[in-house]
Amino acid sequence: MTDEELLSLVGNERKRAIGFGETDSGELVGARERALRYYRGDVTRDIPSLVGRSQAVSTDVAEAIETVLPDVMEIFIGGDDVATFTPLGEEDEDQAREESEFVRHVIFTENPGFLVFNTAFKDALLVRTGLFHWRWEDEESEEAEDYGPMDEETLGVLAQQVPGIETRANEDGSFGASLTKRKLHGKVCVEAWPPEDFSVAADTITLRDATYACARSRPRVQDLIVRGVDAEVARNLPSYSHPDQQVELARDMAGENDSRSNDTNGDLRQVEVHSHYIRLEEGGELVYWRVDTNSEETTLIDKEQVSCIPFGAITPYINSHRFYGESVADKLIEIQKIKTTLLRMFLDDGYFALNQRMQVDMTFANEFTISDLLRNEPNMPVRTKGNALSPLRAGGLNFDALAALEYASVMSEQRTGIVRNAQGLNPDSLHETAKGAMALISAAQKRVRYIARIFAETGVKDLIRGVHDLLRSGYGAETEEGVERANPTAKLGKGWKQVEPGSWKERCDIDVQIGIGSAGREQDLMVMQNVMEIQQQMAMGGLGGIIVKPDNIYNAAKRFAQ
């Protein structure tokens, strides 16, 4: 396949893909943009406020996401055994444990793992899809190794045995030498990718089996040159103009994408790059290629064969047999509309009760009556000649607005499973039985754990497996002659250790542990304490330790602590 044919192929696939808003009739882009607006409390397009009436807004989307996000984050970040590789046998347990610990070290120590997970989880809860991206970076360094002092004969032997060594004569008559070694230091970079800058083929269900995907980025020209792109190709790319994409503009909180053009000169210009990942048949096998092009797929920037699509996707509510699911915002936008309308009605009713409209009989009014009436201040008189003023009876609400607001809140809890009582102490729960409050917390926790399990079995597993494969291939890759690959050193367990990822085996089985969120921890704590007490009684009681022995109690306590 020629480069021109490859460009045409990926261009056609990108135009048919779903994600950038070009072929989905704007439904996906519109849903994302609407969710971001509602998260900020901007409902003016759907519920315009009348002049002189309440403009209050209910913020249900933001409250629900900020309520559930800490619990989901704690499930994944709160423990040290979120993801572990399943040993291939008894002799493989120590090696599997080492690889699990080093992969976690790469994600959470060498990379800002907390912020990456927070961003991806928040994107999923808000705009339907959260994305993890991993990539390999190589940095080359030079290290000088010194030899000497030595005599001239030894120096001659050393110069013959070690190519590239530099010799020198010391002031005291002895001789010395030095050898400069080139070393490659590899690193896996992990980041959260914006969902609006990612597109997949319409028949995609899971990324690991996708035929086509495309990631959009906006690097500066100098960044492309540093990454190894031909300088002439990079400098000939057209400048990226500020966006008209709805989602990108909706994310702005400080006018980051304004109407000004990209007038930066030279290598500081931003350009738009599309990284296409496409699976093609070659020699009876399907292989992935990464093809980097400009935004119109007319210029080939780079192409490389890769092992997989280096992205992991998550969504809180899976739409069966489809890639894109639903978000928490999708389930709450209608509730936020209802509660905003009810809240404004309630406030307007109060405003009109305190600021009643008046009927003015002009036969009893004087030149001060209207101006005095318009000065709605305490203790301010209205001057008239007689009974010029009489209040207009306004129609009040014939239902309990506060009860309606509470009903709408219950609707949102039933739709999402995110309840108020699950976070901290709700004053209303003081009037409920402890058993009833615990039942509410348990039900809410099940929904949160369900979302966490979906995240774990999809994008998080793909991330762990992708980082592991990238470490294997990166540290196991061949280098140029005279260049040495430096293996990493990290603190694993109780001590420091040099790791050799290039010698690792391929692993497919990953066990993702779902920990205990803060809302359900008290209940699980009570259960485990009861189990521990029963075990201790059995160990010391009439059965004489036949069923439960000290080792059993120790193992139970260890598992409970984990």
Side-chain angles (χ1 to χ4, degrees):
M1 186 179 296
T2 64
D3 289 348
E4 288 74 16
E5 292 173 333
L6 187 60
L7 286 172
S8 175
L9 180 64
V10 297
N12 289 333
E13 286 292 327
R14 195 263 302 169
K15 292 173 184 176
R16 292 197 301 267
I18 306 296
F20 288 171
E22 298 170 342
T23 58
D24 57 3
S25 302
E27 194 278 331
L28 179 62
V29 172
R32 288 170 172 167
E33 185 263 345
R34 185 167 56 251
L36 288 166
R37 285 193 295 106
Y38 273 73
Y39 179 81
R40 297 201 317 264
D42 179 7
V43 299
T44 52
R45 295 186 189 178
D46 300 324
I47 316 175
S49 58
L50 301 177
V51 178
R53 300 291 183 91
S54 173
Q55 300 181 14
V57 176
S58 181
T59 55
D60 298 82
V61 170
E63 290 169 7
I65 290 174
E66 299 302 331
T67 294
V68 74
L69 184 59
D71 263 353
V72 177
M73 283 293 294
E74 186 178 12
I75 287 173
F76 287 91
I77 308 298
D80 293 330
D81 58 348
V82 171
T84 57
F85 294 106
T86 305
L88 302 177
E90 185 177 353
E91 72 285 349
D92 189 44
E93 288 190 1
D94 291 339
Q95 181 63 29
R97 186 181 305 110
E98 176 187 302
E99 294 177 20
S100 302
E101 291 177 355
F102 187 68
V103 168
R104 288 195 298 271
H105 169 81
V106 168
I107 295 175
F108 293 104
T109 303
E110 294 185 0
N111 288 277
F114 177 88
L115 295 178
V116 170
F117 272 64
N118 181 79
T119 302
F121 288 172
K122 192 167 186 176
D123 280 339
L125 296 170
L126 183 56
V127 294
R128 301 186 179 182
T129 311
L131 290 167
F132 299 104
H133 175 49
W134 53 91
R135 55 187 171 83
W136 178 264
E137 280 190 1
D138 258 331
E139 293 182 0
E140 185 175 328
S141 65
E142 293 185 352
E143 298 180 7
E145 187 173 347
D146 196 65
Y147 301 88
M150 65 187 79
D151 55 35
E152 187 172 4
E153 182 179 354
T154 304
L155 179 64
V157 174
L158 184 65
Q160 292 179 356
Q161 294 178 345
V162 182
I165 197 168
E166 298 179 1
T167 61
R168 68 175 184 274
N170 298 325
E171 295 181 357
D172 60 359
S174 63
F175 294 90
S178 61
L179 178 64
T180 300
K181 294 183 177 180
R182 295 168 59 198
K183 285 192 174 183
L184 279 179
H185 302 271
K187 180 184 178 183
V188 175
C189 298
V190 179
E191 59 186 327
W193 198 266
E196 62 269 22
D197 289 332
F198 192 76
S199 189
V200 296
D203 60 349
T204 301
I205 298 176
T206 59
L207 276 182
R208 67 187 74 149
D209 300 321
T211 299
Y212 173 82
C214 180
R216 179 170 56 189
S217 60
R218 302 167 187 85
R220 294 180 185 265
V221 172
Q222 62 183 6
D223 298 331
L224 290 175
I225 296 174
V226 170
R227 277 162 40 186
V229 176
D230 182 84
E232 183 178 356
V233 172
R235 289 178 176 133
N236 285 332
L237 293 174
S239 298
Y240 167 70
S241 58
H242 281 270
D244 55 3
Q245 289 94 347
Q246 302 173 27
V247 179
E248 201 170 345
L249 294 172
R251 285 192 184 274
D252 284 0
M253 299 294 286
E256 293 90 345
N257 289 306
D258 55 24
S259 58
R260 293 173 297 176
S261 61
N262 183 12
D263 54 2
T264 305
N265 296 321
D267 291 352
L268 292 179
R269 291 185 303 115
Q270 272 188 291
V271 295
E272 184 171 326
V273 174
H274 288 178
S275 295
H276 309 264
Y277 296 88
I278 188 166
R279 186 171 60 182
L280 301 173
E281 184 274 331
E282 293 184 7
E285 295 183 358
L286 293 173
V287 297
Y288 278 107
W289 282 86
R290 192 201 74 231
V291 183
D292 292 343
T293 71
N294 63 341
S295 60
E296 301 297 328
E297 288 84 31
T298 56
T299 301
L300 180 63
I301 300 174
D302 190 19
K303 63 179 179 179
E304 179 187 13
Q305 187 173 331
V306 294
S307 60
C308 66
I309 298 176
F311 286 86
I314 55 176
T315 185
Y317 304 104
I318 293 177
N319 184 17
S320 300
H321 313 296
R322 292 293 183 270
F323 176 76
Y324 292 106
E326 287 187 296
S327 68
V328 172
D330 291 332
K331 297 183 177 298
L332 287 180
I333 284 177
E334 197 64 30
I335 298 294
Q336 185 163 329
K337 289 182 184 179
I338 295 171
K339 291 184 67 175
T340 296
T341 303
L342 289 171
L343 180 61
R344 290 179 178 178
M345 291 169 63
F346 174 71
L347 293 175
D348 284 339
D349 190 40
Y351 294 152
F352 277 107
L354 294 176
N355 298 274
Q356 201 166 17
R357 298 184 66 188
M358 304 297 292
Q359 176 181 344
V360 182
D361 186 345
M362 295 305 296
T363 59
F364 295 99
N366 58 33
E367 66 272 22
F368 305 108
T369 301
I370 300 300
S371 60
D372 289 349
L373 182 63
L374 294 177
R375 294 188 62 182
N376 189 13
E377 301 174 18
N379 299 321
M380 176 58 63
V382 179
R383 290 168 282 186
T384 68
K385 298 177 182 178
N387 296 325
L389 304 180
S390 59
L392 283 176
R393 185 175 180 83
L397 297 177
N398 59 359
F399 65 92
D400 189 342
L402 293 178
L405 284 169
E406 178 62 22
Y407 174 74
S409 297
V410 173
M411 288 172 58
S412 70
E413 293 174 357
Q414 291 174 339
R415 289 189 182 187
T416 63
I418 303 169
V419 303
R420 293 160 289 176
N421 290 3
Q423 294 290 322
L425 182 62
N426 188 313
D428 294 337
S429 66
L430 295 175
H431 305 289
E432 299 170 356
T433 63
K435 187 175 180 180
M438 189 62 69
L440 284 173
I441 293 174
S442 178
Q445 193 66 9
K446 286 180 181 179
R447 297 287 288 269
V448 173
R449 290 189 185 184
Y450 176 70
I451 292 174
R453 173 57 68 182
I454 291 175
F455 287 174
E457 296 295 335
T458 52
V460 174
K461 264 193 177 181
D462 290 342
L463 170 65
I464 301 299
R465 185 184 291 115
V467 170
H468 184 273
D469 291 343
L470 206 54
L471 288 169
R472 286 178 56 247
S473 59
Y475 282 103
E478 295 182 358
T479 60
E480 300 177 13
E481 185 178 354
V483 180
E484 179 184 346
R485 172 76 66 183
N487 283 320
T489 301
K491 187 176 182 180
L492 306 178
K494 297 181 180 179
W496 290 85
K497 187 175 183 179
Q498 188 176 55
V499 187
E500 298 181 1
S503 63
W504 289 355
K505 302 175 183 178
E506 183 178 0
R507 295 189 184 275
C508 298
D509 296 332
I510 304 174
D511 180 24
V512 181
Q513 299 287 342
I514 297 299
I516 304 172
S518 60
R521 182 159 297 175
E522 292 297 327
Q523 186 178 13
D524 290 343
L525 179 63
M526 292 168 56
V527 173
M528 280 304 303
Q529 284 176 343
N530 292 335
V531 173
M532 293 291 294
E533 290 175 3
I534 292 172
Q535 287 185 333
Q536 292 174 0
Q537 291 172 5
M538 294 175 68
M540 298 181 297
L543 294 177
I546 296 175
I547 298 179
V548 177
K549 298 179 180 180
D551 287 346
N552 303 125
I553 297 177
Y554 169 77
N555 291 332
K558 180 179 178 181
R559 177 59 183 165
F560 176 48
Q562 291 175 347

